[in-house]
Amino acid sequence: MKTIATIIFTIFIGIAAQAQSTTAEVKVETIGMTIVTETAYELDTETKAEVARLYKFKNARVKKALSFTTKRNKAKMA
């Protein structure tokens, strides 16, 4: 009886899901774009003072933070 009720319930849910009305399609307006053939770009390096760090290994800072040890990490003799 339980299996029959479950099958009827799943069929009812499936039919109810298909009976939902869908919304109308939304029209999208297209925009015309032109191709830029020339760009003017100047880089002023004298006013910028930025420092970049370079690490040998990919996750150097993460590995250093994860490699900490505590006083209780040492093995005890029984």
Side-chain angles (χ1 to χ4, degrees), residues 10-65:
T10 55
I11 290 172
F12 175 74
I13 295 294
I15 292 170
Q18 289 180 355
Q20 299 294 326
S21 62
T22 59
T23 59
E25 290 186 22
V26 179
K27 299 286 183 177
V28 178
E29 295 180 15
T30 58
I31 299 172
M33 302 289 287
T34 59
I35 297 174
V36 178
T37 58
E38 186 176 330
T39 58
Y41 180 73
E42 293 181 17
L43 181 62
D44 189 15
T45 57
E46 296 172 355
T47 58
K48 294 182 181 179
E50 296 180 4
V51 177
R53 293 183 178 166
L54 180 64
Y55 292 101
K56 272 187 174 181
F57 303 106
K58 186 177 178 181
N59 296 322
R61 191 183 306 174
V62 175
K63 288 181 182 177
K64 182 179 178 184

Side-chain angles (χ1 to χ4, degrees), residues 1-10:
M1 183 67 187
K2 185 177 179 182
T3 56
I4 295 171
T6 306
I7 292 170
I8 292 172
F9 180 71
T10 55

